[in-house]
Amino acid sequence: MKPTVFGRAVRSPCISVCRIDDASGLCAGCYRTLEEIAGWGMMSNDQKSLVWEALGRRRVPLVPATPVAPTEAPSQESPAAVESRAGALPLTPPPARSD
């Protein structure tokens, strides 16, 4: 994907579908990160062109993962027991957002 240049300015890849995908951290419309979106107006044309090059590599469908049906009965172990046995990160959900 190459940037479109009007005169001397590199145009923004924004297509007004502004939604950040939680899994990838990318905008579902333009495939930029929040940092790239926020800094776009302050970037040089060279920096903007580099972002456009990266967008070509990022353009993959941002589709939510499809749940897989379990193949066996759910474990009767408590989440704490599974955590300690597996040495995993806590299974508790993050705190609710207050926005």
Side-chain angles (χ1 to χ4, degrees):
M1 177 183 294
K2 294 189 178 188
T4 303
V5 179
F6 295 108
R8 296 175 53 159
V10 176
R11 78 169 173 86
S12 170
C14 181
I15 60 169
S16 299
V17 178
C18 305
R19 187 181 71 245
I20 300 299
D21 177 72
D22 290 334
S24 69
L26 300 174
C27 174
C30 68
Y31 298 92
R32 291 183 293 170
T33 65
L34 282 174
E35 182 178 77
E36 291 166 343
I37 293 167
W40 187 260
M42 295 173 282
M43 290 181 186
S44 69
N45 283 344
D46 289 340
Q47 291 170 315
K48 291 176 181 179
S49 293
L50 290 173
V51 171
W52 269 100
E53 288 177 24
L55 299 182
R57 295 185 297 273
R58 295 177 187 165
R59 292 187 76 79
V60 293
L62 299 177
V63 180
T66 304
V68 177
T71 57
E72 57 187 53
S75 170
Q76 297 301 313
E77 290 182 276
S78 72
V82 172
E83 288 174 22
S84 65
R85 184 172 49 80
L89 295 174
L91 296 176
T92 55
R97 292 174 56 174
S98 62
D99 45 328

